Amino acid sequence: MKIDARQIDDAVGYFAGLLRFTLVVASVLVVGTAAAEARPWETRHPAREPTPAHQLRTLSTWPAEPASPTAIDAERFRASLVHLCGRRGETVGASVSDDLLAAANSSQVDPFLLAALVLFQSACNPALTSPTGAGLLRIDRDLYVGAGAPKPPVEKSEWALTNLLDPKQNLSVGARLLKMWQDAHPTLDEQFGGVPHRSAVAHFVWGDDVRSSGQEDLILTARRRMILSYSAAPDETRDTSLGIKIVSPLEGNPRVATSGPGEERDGGARRHRGLDITATIGEPVRAIADGVVIYAGANMGKKVRVDSIPPDKIGRYTNRQLGAGGIYVCIQHDSDRKVVSCYMHLSTYRIADGDRVTQGETIGFVGRTGVRVSPPHLHLEIRVDDRFTNPCRYLSDLVIPPKATMTYRYVMKRARLRA
């Protein structure tokens, strides 16, 4: 696929601007500026900035997070961890579940939060090695080194790479570090400031000075997903004016929508036709309502539409350069009107053209096919009588609308400057 210079400039400018905007807001919202000028030790921070993540303008938009079950059944916990870890679930999730529970219990931290960190930090990969850390919890020793900073609850030998690549040891070290951040959280916010955030898990990512709440939001969303899986809670449905009830296409309500219909794409060459919902690579995508699959395939670009592709052959397209939407599925729903939903940027799917699907059924998995620079997300379209509509109208409080995000604020500001 050929990408011209204007598209590259737009993409680079967008995300560089997003990061600059986030940091400007961070500096404006810093708590206790005077105290921050007299910080008690050299700020501990990651060697590299964490991957940018969308954050809300106001944290009070989030509802209260669900409480963890008080008495945890080990088998149910294992099953929910397998579900959370996706493609690595049966191998990694099942094998580390008991060690995760033991580490969380020993350090007195929430095992569901520790599991969510495993997904966020390494995608459940115990063999991860990168400049930003190693092992299941992507632990970075440099994050815990600061002149005059308190000694972390970790022995020198435990920082060794071989130790961090041992899942049991990594979970033990990580649980103790999470407990350290939880105990220090209120004091750190007074001493170092940072942007408003909801919990101590933000410090696990950022260190002493939290610069964005977006990463924390992704972790807490993963925690909600796991608790829902563990409890086997029924899907929340919403009535619509279309004569059908619908559920969210992603687990763990509410989910953050970052871009809606009508926004510019490709430097204004086209308009966005759906709703982008922040997601994690590999998480399941569900049918919003009962219906029949009318297309399952991929956008090959250059306005070339191919016939539906069987699920056992779609994997060969995952790493190709595809057109907007990438690998996608469309479903026509059981309604008196013609209601079609489409799910785009998938990594793969498990249904075929003509299949009948039920509400909440997993039809595919989140990927980045057809995406140029954006973080992982699901692009959802809902068409009514062949007209594109805003999915927020029907999903209601199952999603947090784009207007609630800082990204939207930046996009609108940039659009005004272009006008």
Side-chain angles (χ1 to χ4, degrees), residues 22 25-27 29-31 55 189 193-197 209-213:
T22 300
V25 173
S27 65
L29 297 178
V30 163
V31 179
Q55 59 181 329
D189 290 344
V195 302
H197 49 280
D209 184 6
V210 176
R211 304 295 300 278
S212 169
S213 63

Side-chain angles (χ1 to χ4, degrees), residues 235-239 244-248 286-291 331 333-334 343 356-363:
D235 278 321
E236 295 182 78
T237 61
R238 295 293 180 268
D239 293 320
I244 56 174
K245 292 179 181 288
I246 66 172
V247 298
S248 172
R286 300 108 50 83
I288 61 171
D290 296 349
I331 299 169
H333 299 289
D334 302 338
Y343 313 77
R356 179 153 193 87
V357 296
T358 57
Q359 182 185 77
E361 178 182 343
T362 297
I363 57 174

Side-chain angles (χ1 to χ4, degrees), residues 178-402:
L178 179 58
K179 175 63 172 173
M180 179 196 81
W181 292 121
Q182 288 180 342
D183 291 344
H185 174 216
T187 303
L188 290 176
D189 290 344
E190 291 178 4
Q191 295 174 328
F192 291 88
V195 302
H197 49 280
R198 294 186 283 158
S199 75
V201 77
H203 291 283
F204 196 100
V205 177
W206 283 99
D208 292 320
D209 184 6
V210 176
R211 304 295 300 278
S212 169
S213 63
Q215 295 78 16
E216 170 190 65
D217 294 341
L218 291 174
I219 295 166
L220 294 178
T221 295
R223 177 181 175 273
R224 289 198 301 276
R225 289 181 54 211
M226 188 171 177
I227 290 176
L228 285 170
S229 174
Y230 177 90
S231 63
D235 278 321
E236 295 182 78
T237 61
R238 295 293 180 268
D239 293 320
T240 70
S241 59
L242 305 173
I244 56 174
K245 292 179 181 288
I246 66 172
V247 298
S248 172
L250 298 171
E251 303 166 336
N253 308 323
R255 301 300 294 259
V256 176
T258 60
S259 180
E263 294 183 20
E264 290 185 355
R265 290 293 186 271
D266 295 340
R270 63 184 178 91
R271 294 286 178 175
H272 198 227
R273 292 180 170 182
L275 188 71
D276 288 349
I277 307 173
T278 298
T280 300
I281 292 287
E283 70 171 291
V285 175
R286 300 108 50 83
I288 61 171
D290 296 349
V292 175
V293 177
I294 59 173
Y295 184 77
N299 180 356
M300 299 303 179
K302 297 182 180 179
K303 299 183 180 180
V304 175
R305 179 183 172 92
V306 299
D307 293 335
S308 288
I309 302 169
D312 61 339
K313 291 182 170 56
I314 194 62
R316 67 183 64 175
Y317 298 92
T318 299
N319 296 317
R320 291 190 185 183
Q321 287 186 321
L322 300 174
I327 293 172
Y328 70 102
V329 170
C330 292
I331 299 169
Q332 183 162 335
H333 299 289
D334 302 338
S335 171
D336 292 337
R337 304 175 69 179
K338 184 180 180 182
V339 179
V340 174
S341 62
C342 294
Y343 313 77
M344 301 186 175
H345 305 313
L346 306 179
S347 62
T348 186
Y349 48 71
R350 56 168 53 170
I351 43 76
D353 197 6
D355 282 356
R356 179 153 193 87
V357 296
T358 57
Q359 182 185 77
E361 178 182 343
T362 297
I363 57 174
F365 301 89
V366 173
R368 292 196 73 246
T369 57
V371 175
R372 292 174 183 161
V373 293
S374 302
H377 64 274
L378 172 69
H379 174 96
L380 173 69
E381 294 179 1
I382 297 180
R383 306 170 191 171
V384 180
D385 298 331
D386 295 322
R387 293 186 177 183
F388 291 95
T389 64
N390 189 340
C392 281
R393 181 185 307 171
Y394 310 111
L395 292 171
S396 184
D397 59 345
L398 298 178
V399 296
I400 295 174

Side-chain angles (χ1 to χ4, degrees), residues 141 151-160 163 173 176:
R141 179 183 180 277
K151 183 182 182 300
V154 180
E155 297 300 323
K156 184 177 180 179
S157 61
E158 292 182 295
W159 293 115
N163 191 69
V173 170
R176 278 176 273 151

